[in-house]
Amino acid sequence: MDPPRPPELKLRLVQPFSDEHFNELAQSVRGRVLRPGDFEYTDRSRTFNGKLKPRACALVSPLDADDVSAAVKFCSKYGFSPSVRAGGYGIAGWAVAGDIIVDMSMMTDIDIEPPLTVAEGSGDVDWTRLRDMPPLGSKGKGRAPASPPPMVSSDTPHRSNKRRRDERSPSAEPGQAASTTAGGSFDGGLTAVASFLRGPPLPPDPGETPRQPPTNRQRLHSPEPEEPSVEGAPSVPAAGAPLSHITPLPVPPLSENTRQLSGESTSSSVSSRPSAFGFETHVSQSSDTTAAASPSDDKDQDLAADMREPFAYMSSGSTPTPRLPMFGLPAGQGSSSAASAAPSGVTSIQNWSLSLAAGGASSGVTPWNPALGPGFRMPTSLASLPMPLSMVPGQPFPPISGALGLPSLFGAALEARTGSLGTVQYSKPVHPHAYVTFGAGMRQREIDQYTADHPLVGTNTVTGDREEASVPYHIPMSAHPVGSSIMLLAGFGFISRMYGLSIDNVVEVEMVLADGRIVVVNAEEDPELWWAIRGAGPAFGIATRYKARAFPVPVVFAGNLIYRFHRATAPSLIKHFRDCIKNAPRELYANVLLTAGPADKDSLVVIQMCYVGPREKGMEYLQAISSWDGERCLLNEVNEKSFLKQQDSVAQVLRGKAGRQWFLRSALITTLPDEVINRTVLEFADTPIGCTWLFELAGGAIGDFEDNCLPKEQREATWTVAAFHQWDMGIDDPRCITTAEQWMDGTIKQVAVGGPYPTFLGRHESPSRTMACYGKNWDRLAALKRKYDPNCLFKNNFWPLDKDGQPVELLANEPPSP
């Protein structure tokens, strides 16, 4: 069934944007103002959804709240409509739907501080108030107490402290290089998953119809996909060439012989295949482009990387793609630092090439073990050594270093290849929480990167000694990548079941209201507005700076279990997963997702778990989940790791790519009965390539909060459900939309409660679905909107009503999608 055709878009009756308007706006702000056609305008107005075409007259990149205020007053004066681009997905296109795009990417101040000591019962807060902190772009004068010196972990690219301060704090000024932190491919975090997903497809399964791509009906008026710019991309040394620094170790794609094969039977019995290993070690050099961020901080490479496609880091195997540059930066500017130290014993090796060879036989369910790397041959002299690696479901992988009795050279190289899948050393936190202050231009991945690189004091778990800069803290947020506005739109992620949503942990927000006033909103100074913005913030103003609680996450026991999708066995797996995590503690996050394609890959069932704590406490859940024996587990890489790496996992498994067409639908459900699972699997089996459906365990601490506009009924939902659909430009297949809509309106609706979290509101949403997000709180929220924004200046967002309080027409607040 074709989707209903939307009504004709009406022309907006606003006065033309003249040279006089442009000059007035440019003179009222310190940041740069661009017009369509100007250099950098296209990049700075681009959204993750390649289907959307901005219709703005100008784009302004403010440097501080005063600039934002000036832009808002300008729009009010002349009847122009502002829209705010804060670095997130932008699937719906609201960020570029206005006459004036307010690009927040220049506002990148960030700091972390431990809680202040306050007298009990004094009523004082234990953080530095935003009013008492220096304004954005102040070069840190009078800044809150400095955090301990950063301790760069092996999880992140090395950068000198000076570079970090220059990039991150305070906001960059015109002519300075923008931040390049956290811009690399998501494959750098979970190399085992990256290698698996880039491997060849499994053989066709006789019991399953091959997945088909969307119908390729070329639309003559659709734009051609834009190729990301790769000018200035760091070159990879040729084999044998001298190395000026140690390059990261690339993960080659798996060959067909290295992929575990799922059973070809349509039954749920255990499938047995030969699965033993012959071993032979050899060293080789590879010219493949690395998927991990380079540890080098060479200024030319940084600047060249800055010029690339802003969303390319979503693509598997891409080179690092940091934030866009500041305007007009001449080549060669920026600071540099020495390359990070190489692992001990690996100074002369560019890459270890490890290949897994089939031979011998074994039976039972045998997941591929990333502790051996993507393929591994042991020398004949070591072939008789006992195999200490656990190769049965539910068993942990041993520490890499020293495994198999191999010398330290091998252990160090293998740790680099696999991302240190051994036991993570961690300290016990001293502070129960910390506070992070950041500008609205910071993307969530960059915030996580900063707090991971600036840990706070802890104590040694063995000796009890005080250890400076040893415990990383993280804000409860969605998984990578999202923009800062997630802080005001719910924000559900891996640690939300422990600490609540993003909106529950923000403590102050600096924002500009519709009349141009700059205010700091908190519980004491304006409790009504404070209630409204936590859940509906973009409809009430433009946030410029946030202060939020962060919590210690020294280590997580987390990762993926990947199975081949089979409509005959997938229902059993999902039901098994559901039953295993019933009554799970708040420390456990878990989801199960079904992902179709891409065309040259397999449709998969992926279970993700994240236990906030060490291996010993999380193992019982892994053992329970992995005990399912209906299909062979293709990959089990659950182990201790940093939270930063786990944050990349959803985007990595989703295999999302910027520049495609995207569609999103979501819901909250109270139960997951067998009937819903059965129907979901059957419906998903007929979706085109590029569709991903997700069931995500909710509950826990989310239900503890009631002091904002998200109603209690929504918070008590047991699961979040989402459909993420992506397909290539130039394709016009109604199934890419209708399959998601029909799943939500049919199968999911029977157990749904209200609407989704506002985080998941997408394109073409009906007013009724948006209002349902707020349930019984909608009337109060709408009354506050009329109070703070009577003319509905901030309409280019999810808000479903016009200034007269009437529902807006479908697509009215979205940019054209030719």
Side-chain angles (χ1 to χ4, degrees), residues 574-784:
I574 298 173
K575 294 170 189 176
H576 171 80
F577 163 78
R578 174 202 62 192
D579 296 341
C580 286
I581 62 174
K582 185 177 181 180
N583 300 320
R586 294 184 173 192
E587 290 83 359
L588 180 68
Y589 164 95
N591 73 44
V592 57
L593 59 86
L594 312 175
T595 178
D600 61 342
K601 297 294 186 292
D602 309 301
S603 296
L604 304 172
V605 181
V606 181
I607 293 175
Q608 294 187 317
M609 64 168 286
C610 179
Y611 185 86
V612 185
R615 176 204 309 263
E616 292 75 17
K617 294 185 178 180
M619 269 305 303
E620 62 179 283
Y621 297 101
L622 173 62
Q623 290 174 335
I625 294 171
S626 62
S627 67
W628 183 77
D629 59 2
E631 289 277 353
R632 184 183 298 272
C633 183
L634 305 177
L635 173 66
N636 178 346
E637 55 86 43
V638 179
N639 212 303
E640 286 185 343
K641 61 188 65 172
S642 71
F643 183 72
L644 186 64
K645 286 186 177 181
Q646 182 61 19
Q647 280 284 70
D648 280 346
S649 62
V650 173
Q652 187 177 35
V653 173
L654 194 64
R655 292 177 278 189
K657 291 183 179 180
R660 288 178 170 177
Q661 301 182 67
W662 279 81
F663 188 78
L664 167 67
R665 279 293 177 268
S666 182
L668 294 166
I669 62 176
T670 55
T671 184
L672 185 55
D674 289 354
E675 179 186 1
V676 169
I677 294 173
N678 294 337
R679 291 180 58 181
T680 293
V681 170
L682 291 177
E683 293 178 56
F684 179 78
D686 294 327
T687 58
I689 286 172
C691 298
T692 299
W693 292 2
L694 168 75
F695 292 102
E696 191 172 32
L697 183 64
I702 298 171
D704 295 346
F705 299 85
E706 291 188 83
D707 61 341
N708 50 50
C709 63
L710 200 65
K712 185 75 170 178
E713 294 75 15
Q714 251 78 334
R715 290 177 169 276
E716 292 178 339
T718 310
W719 301 86
T720 66
V721 184
F724 302 95
H725 289 196
Q726 56 176 314
W727 64 102
D728 290 332
M729 298 294 294
I731 299 296
D732 186 18
D733 188 341
R735 295 179 302 156
C736 297
I737 294 176
T738 57
T739 51
E741 295 278 25
Q742 290 167 359
W743 181 48
M744 289 291 169
D745 293 340
T747 300
I748 299 301
K749 188 174 182 179
Q750 59 184 307
V751 290
V753 50
Y757 288 139
T759 302
F760 292 109
L761 287 171
R763 192 159 170 76
H764 311 338
E765 294 281 9
S766 66
S768 60
R769 267 180 56 86
T770 301
M771 295 177 193
C773 292
Y774 304 98
K776 64 184 181 182
N777 292 336
W778 171 254
D779 289 341
R780 179 184 175 189
L781 190 66
L784 290 172

Side-chain angles (χ1 to χ4, degrees), residues 384-558:
S384 61
L385 288 177
M387 175 66 74
L389 299 174
S390 301
M391 296 296 290
V392 295
Q395 295 303 311
F397 303 126
I400 303 302
S401 183
L404 307 177
L406 298 178
S408 60
L409 171 65
F410 174 83
L414 191 54
E415 283 190 328
R417 287 292 303 279
T418 60
S420 299
L421 283 174
T423 301
V424 176
Q425 300 298 319
Y426 59 92
S427 300
K428 183 178 179 180
V430 170
H431 306 294
H433 57 266
Y435 293 97
V436 182
T437 307
F438 57 95
M442 292 294 289
R443 294 180 298 212
Q444 185 264 355
R445 194 188 196 206
E446 298 170 324
I447 298 169
D448 271 340
Q449 183 81 63
Y450 180 89
T451 58
D453 285 351
H454 292 73
L456 301 183
V457 65
T459 57
N460 188 288
T461 55
V462 177
T463 66
D465 294 339
R466 180 183 177 92
E467 296 180 335
E468 299 295 335
S470 59
V471 179
Y473 285 67
H474 292 277
I475 302 172
M477 280 183 167
S478 301
H480 303 155
V482 294
S484 64
S485 61
I486 201 75
M487 298 302 301
L488 301 181
L489 288 171
F492 176 78
F494 288 117
I495 59 176
S496 291
R497 284 177 42 80
M498 281 192 72
Y499 302 116
L501 304 169
S502 298
I503 59 175
D504 302 323
N505 289 287
V506 63
V507 296
E508 285 191 331
V509 180
E510 177 187 78
M511 67 189 314
V512 177
L513 303 182
D515 58 7
R517 284 184 297 145
I518 302 172
V519 298
V520 174
V521 190
N522 54 46
E524 293 80 24
E525 297 187 37
D526 196 335
E528 279 194 318
L529 184 59
W530 181 239
W531 177 87
I533 66 170
R534 290 174 300 140
F540 287 83
I542 302 178
T544 56
R545 188 161 49 160
Y546 304 86
K547 184 179 284 286
R549 275 186 297 266
F551 297 92
V553 190
V555 64
V556 294
F557 182 69

Side-chain angles (χ1 to χ4, degrees), residues 153-173:
S153 69
S154 61
D155 299 340
T156 59
H158 174 79
R159 296 185 184 275
S160 70
N161 295 350
K162 183 178 188 302
R163 178 74 171 181
R164 171 67 66 185
R165 289 193 298 269
D166 288 345
E167 290 174 345
R168 287 298 178 185
S169 183
S171 295
E173 297 176 353

Side-chain angles (χ1 to χ4, degrees), residues 226-377:
E226 297 182 7
E227 295 294 332
S229 171
V230 293
E231 285 190 27
S235 60
V236 180
L243 300 178
S244 59
H245 57 272
I246 299 301
T247 59
L249 299 172
V251 182
L254 293 173
S255 66
E256 290 203 28
N257 290 334
T258 65
R259 296 289 291 271
Q260 289 288 344
L261 304 181
S262 69
E264 297 179 357
S265 170
T266 59
S267 70
S268 61
S269 62
V270 178
S271 172
S272 300
R273 280 188 175 272
S275 181
F277 309 94
F279 300 97
E280 174 186 347
T281 58
H282 61 280
V283 179
S284 67
Q285 290 183 332
S286 171
S287 61
D288 293 340
T289 301
T290 180
S294 171
S296 170
D297 205 16
D298 183 86
K299 60 185 179 182
D300 295 330
Q301 292 189 7
D302 279 349
L303 181 60
D306 280 343
M307 294 299 295
R308 294 185 213 124
E309 157 65 47
F311 295 105
Y313 61 87
M314 282 293 296
S315 302
S316 175
S318 65
T319 51
T321 51
R323 182 184 297 282
L324 286 167
M326 297 307 166
F327 302 99
L329 177 64
Q333 290 189 9
S335 61
S336 62
S337 66
S340 61
S344 175
V346 200
T347 55
S348 62
I349 297 178
Q350 181 177 355
N351 182 31
W352 279 79
S353 177
L354 309 170
S355 300
L356 180 63
S362 66
S363 60
V365 180
T366 310
W368 177 73
N369 192 328
L372 290 175
F376 171 73
R377 293 193 181 97

